[in-house]
Every structure is written in structure tokens, then in C-alpha cells.
Amino acid sequence: MNALAATNRNFMKAARILGLDSKIEKSLLIPFREIKVECTIPKDDGTLVSYVGFRVQHDNARGPMKGGIRYHPEVDPDEVNALAQLMTWKTAVADIPYGGAKGGIGCSPKDLSTSELERLTRVFTQKIHDLIGVNADVPAPDMGTNAQTMAWILDEYSKFHGYSPAVVTGKPIGGRNRRGVVYATEALLAEHGKSIKGLTFAIQGFGNVGSWAAKLIHERGGKVVAVSDITGAVKNPNGINILDLLQHKDATGKLADFSGADAMDPNDLLTHDCDVLIPCALGGVLNRENAGDVKAKFIIEAANHPTDPEADEILSKKGVTILPDIYANAGGVTVSYFEWVQNIQGFMWDEEKVNQELKRYMTKAFHNIKGLCKSHNCDLRMGAFTLGVNRVARLLF
């Protein structure tokens, strides 16, 4: 099942639980605006190459639309549409005043030079600058993009509209705070009378989100027993020294040949023996083929849509607790909101205040989700979806 079908299915289940009118259901499913643009740039060798860029603006009932821009070969309208819709529910679950959007360009960033990426980003911004803005749609980094990408967008946008630092978040000075996944994990484990210390963790994906999660879990006394990314996978039943692994990856660019752990098949990571599994990479990695072999008791969805609905049902029957993506990875957009607020006010917070506020938002959201789980007798995913959908739908009545 593709990401859009799965997201629509979860939305429809939540709509039925809430008893929404069919007209409101339809209104909530149809995006506010879909944008598709052609981006042609000269390559470094002088040849011209064209890419297709997308921006889906899903809903603005609760505030400016918010969502990342990803550079990936598999970016397509259905995926961008699904992720834009997820952002609408995610921002509502976190209770921050945004709607949902998502964008991307179908390209392979590793095959482009820095100057080619800059030209592509600037052309994309030229095509959409009238449709984004501080109070309209605020992009952020996503897969294949980073703080530098946001700086290029800000600079290009400012040529048309004047200096507007709040038009994007995840910029070089602010960066992205990745503690949200760990705060969400702590909230879930506390509900079960557990803490990170002493538990074993397997982490799929060792990029921005995965490496931060691993580092913070390691600092809190958790034992990371397996890690994978696109370069390979490593395991150590006694726990991997994450700081050493980070140094190794910085030096070599890969996980392989790390002396503090044994190599393993990356495909085995999701079914590795651990207490907590954290998928931090692509969507759809947990499916009906592998869900039955998952050994973790808890799954923290740090990636977007890592669990197919079929896998959801299998894991639920096994008694596995899944912390859904629209809550588990909402820390990124919450900190983006803090950055946006600071840019608008021209008043900077220190890191301690950012962390303190993030923990407060993540903890409060978890308790709100649990409240709806009890009211509607449903799992955490439906608790989160009903919370998010209801907060948007009630503005349409």
C-alpha cells in the first residue's frame, strides 16, 4: 500500500471514530493547492538538465502551512500529497499553529555538485516564491536537503520580498533540534513504568534523526545494539559506543569496518533482538513480509509512514506498542515553530529554553493522545489521528 493510500485509510478510520460528516471528510482530504513546476538548470559541464519540483499545500485552517522539501529520486505527487496531509495532522497533534504542506524535487542530490544543487534550489524558489511566505507556507529541510538548502531558499526569496528570515526554518544558525524522538520515547516508556536506561535499541537510519536518537539514548544509559544506514549495518549485543561510531562515520563516510561492532545484513535490523525499534529512514519498511518476525516490544516511528497498515495489524496482534509518526517525529516541526517565532519576534532563545519547551510540548501531546485512546478505546495511532483530525475539523463546522 502506498503512502497516500495508507494515510487516507488512517484518516478515514479516525473520521469514522469521530463521526465526521462526509462533506467535511472530503474537504479535509482534498489539498488546498498542488503545485508542479519544471526546473531547468545548466550543469557544471554546460549541458542543460530538467527536473520536476512539487509543493502540495494541504490545509491552512490552523495557520500557515508547514512542511519539508526533500530531494530524492523517488519524489512523486502521491508521496508528497500523503506527507503534506500527515503534516496537517502532525502540527495539530503537537498543538502548534500550522497547517500541512510538503515539497520536493525528483533528483539524486549525491549526483549533483554543490553549485548545481544551489542553482536547482534557486530555480525552484523562483517558481514558487509567490506561493510561500512567513504567513502562508514555511518550508524546512527534509531528506536530501539541509540547512544550506534553506539558506539558498531564504536568499532567493528575499530578492523578491525583502529579507524574511521566518520564510524557512532549519537554517544554519538555528539548525534542527533532534531531541523530540527521545522525549516521545521517554513519555511512552514512562507510561509503561520503564525508562531508556537499561533497555536495548535497534536504529534503522543513521542520518540526522537516527544519529541524534542514538547519541541521546546512549547518553541516557540505553544500549544501542544495532544500527544501519544505506552504507551497511553493525551490531554489538553489549551495546555500541555511539560516540566512537559517529567519529568512525565522519572519518570514513560509512558504518562498515567499525572496530567496536560486528557487520550484519541491513535487512535483518528490523527483526533484530531488542526492546525498542526505531525506524528513522524511508517509509513502508515494516510490512506484512517482516512484521511477524519483529522482536521489539516498542516501535518508535521516527520516519514518516514506516509501518504499512497490514504490518500494523500483525504487530498489534503480537502486542507490540507502536508510537505513531505523526506524534513520534513531531519534535522537528515543533522546534521549527520555535525558530519561526524567534525570527518573527527578533528575540533569540537559548538552547536550554528550546529543550525545555520541546519536552513540555511532546509530553503534553502524549497525554492528550492517551486521553483520546481511553475515550475511543483505540490504539496510539488512532488516538493521535483522532486528536489531529478533530482539531482541524472543528474549525470547519
Side-chain angles (χ1 to χ4, degrees), residues 211-382:
S211 60
W212 262 101
K215 182 171 176 281
L216 293 166
I217 286 163
H218 182 69
E219 284 174 6
R220 284 159 167 74
K223 197 185 285 187
V224 180
V225 294
V227 172
S228 73
D229 70 2
I230 53 169
T231 68
V234 292
K235 63 178 178 179
N236 185 338
N238 300 314
I240 298 165
N241 186 316
I242 296 300
L243 299 181
D244 289 350
L245 183 60
L246 283 165
Q247 282 184 345
H248 170 79
K249 191 176 178 195
D250 284 345
T252 66
K254 58 185 181 180
L255 296 179
D257 305 323
F258 174 59
S259 59
D262 300 321
M264 66 179 286
D265 185 338
N267 296 320
D268 294 338
L269 184 122
L270 295 166
T271 57
H272 195 70
D273 195 4
C274 62
D275 298 312
V276 184
L277 172 64
I278 310 183
C280 303
L282 290 169
V285 293
L286 288 165
N287 48 52
R288 62 183 170 205
E289 278 79 36
N290 60 14
D293 299 322
V294 169
K295 298 178 184 67
K297 301 170 195 72
F298 300 95
I299 295 174
I300 313 295
E301 293 187 338
N304 283 317
H305 178 59
T307 313
D308 273 354
E310 295 93 334
D312 235 353
E313 288 174 20
I314 295 165
L315 292 163
S316 180
K317 283 174 186 163
K318 285 182 66 172
V320 178
T321 302
I322 301 174
L323 199 61
D325 51 0
I326 64 166
Y327 164 68
N329 64 34
V333 71
T334 305
V335 172
S336 280
Y337 165 60
F338 299 159
E339 182 184 341
W340 180 75
V341 165
Q342 291 170 76
N343 287 156
I344 288 170
Q345 292 183 333
F347 181 79
M348 299 301 109
W349 301 0
D350 60 26
E351 189 178 357
E352 186 183 349
K353 180 173 172 63
V354 172
N355 291 338
Q356 186 182 357
E357 286 296 314
L358 177 58
K359 186 164 189 176
R360 186 172 72 82
Y361 269 78
M362 294 303 288
T363 306
K364 182 181 167 194
F366 181 77
H367 292 307
N368 287 336
I369 291 167
K370 283 299 292 183
L372 280 175
C373 289
K374 286 177 183 144
S375 303
H376 299 301
N377 191 26
C378 59
D379 62 13
L380 288 167
R381 190 181 307 284
M382 276 304 108

Side-chain angles (χ1 to χ4, degrees), residues 33 75 85 92 127 131 143 145 163 167 205 212 280-281 287 308 319 339 344 347 364-365 379 391 394:
R33 183 188 284 130
V75 167
Q85 188 191 139
K127 297 289 177 85
L131 301 168
M143 193 185 304
T145 58
Y163 182 58
V167 73
W212 262 101
C280 303
N287 48 52
D308 273 354
E339 182 184 341
I344 288 170
F347 181 79
K364 182 181 167 194
D379 62 13
R391 279 180 171 162
R394 70 188 181 196

Side-chain angles (χ1 to χ4, degrees), residues 6-294:
T7 304
N8 286 349
R9 176 171 154 168
N10 285 326
F11 166 79
M12 295 305 290
K13 280 176 77 175
R16 279 196 294 275
I17 290 170
L18 293 165
L20 291 186
D21 181 86
S22 61
K23 295 187 193 71
I24 289 172
E25 275 182 25
K26 193 171 181 182
S27 172
L28 288 170
L29 274 179
I30 299 171
F32 171 76
R33 183 188 284 130
E34 292 187 42
I35 304 151
K36 182 178 178 182
V37 295
E38 165 266 333
C39 302
T40 299
I41 60 161
K43 294 198 77 176
D44 292 342
D45 62 8
T47 58
L48 288 178
V49 61
S50 293
Y51 300 96
V52 177
F54 301 96
R55 187 72 177 167
V56 174
Q57 298 172 327
H58 180 257
D59 187 272
N60 61 359
R62 301 184 72 254
M65 292 165 285
K66 187 87 187 77
I69 289 176
R70 57 176 51 186
Y71 290 179
H72 193 273
E74 291 174 24
V75 167
D76 67 72
D78 270 4
E79 183 198 39
V80 176
N81 208 317
L83 294 171
Q85 188 191 139
L86 270 179
M87 284 302 297
T88 297
W89 317 136
K90 188 184 295 183
T91 52
V93 166
D95 205 15
I96 52 179
Y98 285 142
K102 207 74 174 185
I105 299 176
C107 68
S108 184
K110 68 178 186 302
D111 296 336
L112 297 171
S113 70
T114 302
S115 58
E116 287 167 344
L117 282 170
E118 178 176 357
R119 287 196 286 276
L120 180 58
T121 302
R122 289 182 182 276
V123 168
F124 183 52
T125 307
Q126 288 164 18
K127 297 289 177 85
I128 67 167
H129 75 89
D130 276 334
L131 301 168
I132 62 174
V134 176
N135 296 305
D137 179 1
V138 183
D142 202 293
M143 193 185 304
T145 58
N146 54 27
Q148 178 60 70
T149 318
M150 296 305 107
W152 290 327
I153 293 174
L154 166 58
D155 187 57
E156 196 64 27
Y157 179 87
S158 297
K159 290 178 185 176
F160 297 94
H161 302 276
Y163 182 58
S164 311
V167 73
V168 288
T169 58
K171 297 183 291 297
I173 294 174
R176 291 274 280 194
N177 184 307
R178 299 292 178 183
R179 294 173 182 268
V181 170
V182 173
Y183 291 152
T185 304
E186 286 177 326
L188 174 66
L189 293 175
E191 182 76 15
H192 290 263
K194 299 176 187 295
S195 68
I196 285 173
K197 190 173 183 179
L199 294 185
T200 56
F201 294 77
I203 298 175
Q204 186 202 38
F206 204 60
N208 285 334
V209 179
S211 60
W212 262 101
K215 182 171 176 281
L216 293 166
I217 286 163
H218 182 69
E219 284 174 6
R220 284 159 167 74
K223 197 185 285 187
V224 180
V225 294
V227 172
S228 73
D229 70 2
I230 53 169
T231 68
V234 292
K235 63 178 178 179
N236 185 338
N238 300 314
I240 298 165
N241 186 316
I242 296 300
L243 299 181
D244 289 350
L245 183 60
L246 283 165
Q247 282 184 345
H248 170 79
K249 191 176 178 195
D250 284 345
T252 66
K254 58 185 181 180
L255 296 179
D257 305 323
F258 174 59
S259 59
D262 300 321
M264 66 179 286
D265 185 338
N267 296 320
D268 294 338
L269 184 122
L270 295 166
T271 57
H272 195 70
D273 195 4
C274 62
D275 298 312
V276 184
L277 172 64
I278 310 183
C280 303
L282 290 169
V285 293
L286 288 165
N287 48 52
R288 62 183 170 205
E289 278 79 36
N290 60 14
D293 299 322
V294 169

